[in-house]
Amino acid sequence: MRLVLDWDGTVTEVDSLHLVLERFGDLDVYRRVEESLGRSLTLHEVIAVEFETVRAPLDEVVEFLLDVVRIRAGFRELVERHQPVVVSAGFYELIEPVLAREGVEVELVANRVDPRPEGWRVCFRDEAACADCGEACKRAALPEGEVVYVGDGYSDRCAALRADRVFARDGLAAYLDARGVRYEPFEDLHDVAALLDSPVR
């Protein structure tokens, strides 16, 4: 069974994309489009609009993230024991420096960003609409066979519904509760490692 981790809010304690937008983006645009997520705008549309308002150089943004992003406890040990793949709606350019800071190597599937001075342009890894949710989502990036999925938010919903076992917190947990879908809650990634080594309840 293959372990798949979300990045923002799951591996990281706080969503790093939100941190970037709050520091370098347009907060009015950010608040407005977040309210439209899943209603009139898809996740890709929301991310694209939000990051068009970021005009800072990439190295400045990366330096900021390296100062403020904190990794959830147990990440290194989980990677060493279970060799997960990280599937993120975020960007290689912002994730890889944090992984390097932590000294952790992990398989990563993410989007790309072109940090243009007139506004960052997002280069999405996959634009094909999912047959299940109707959006371009993480489900298509999941490995074949049995999957354990660990996530926390909107971008994790469809992938979690496809997974054989789910660990969830925050918005993803509330979504699964509302749908009556079974999951296992977690606080940190030590919890996930311990539960992976115990029988499914």
Side-chain angles (χ1 to χ4, degrees), residues 2-8 10-12 74-76 78-79 82-89 95 99 104 106-109 138 142-143 147-152 156 167 186 189 192-193 196:
R2 191 71 193 277
L3 178 63
V4 178
L5 306 177
D6 168 56
W7 178 256
D8 283 299
T10 299
V11 173
T12 66
F75 176 56
R76 178 188 297 275
L78 191 64
V79 170
H82 294 280
Q83 298 181 327
V85 55
V86 171
V87 178
S88 176
I95 297 171
L99 288 169
V104 175
V106 65
E107 182 181 347
L108 173 62
V109 178
K138 294 180 178 178
L142 297 181
V147 168
V148 176
Y149 193 86
V150 187
D152 78 305
D156 304 307
F167 294 89
F186 70 98
L189 298 174
V192 174
L196 284 174

Side-chain angles (χ1 to χ4, degrees), residues 116-135:
R116 300 182 182 188
E118 67 273 18
W120 286 18
R121 179 167 296 181
V122 180
C123 307
F124 291 105
R125 143 192 88 65
D126 184 4
E127 293 279 21
C130 171
D132 291 274
C133 71
E135 293 191 30

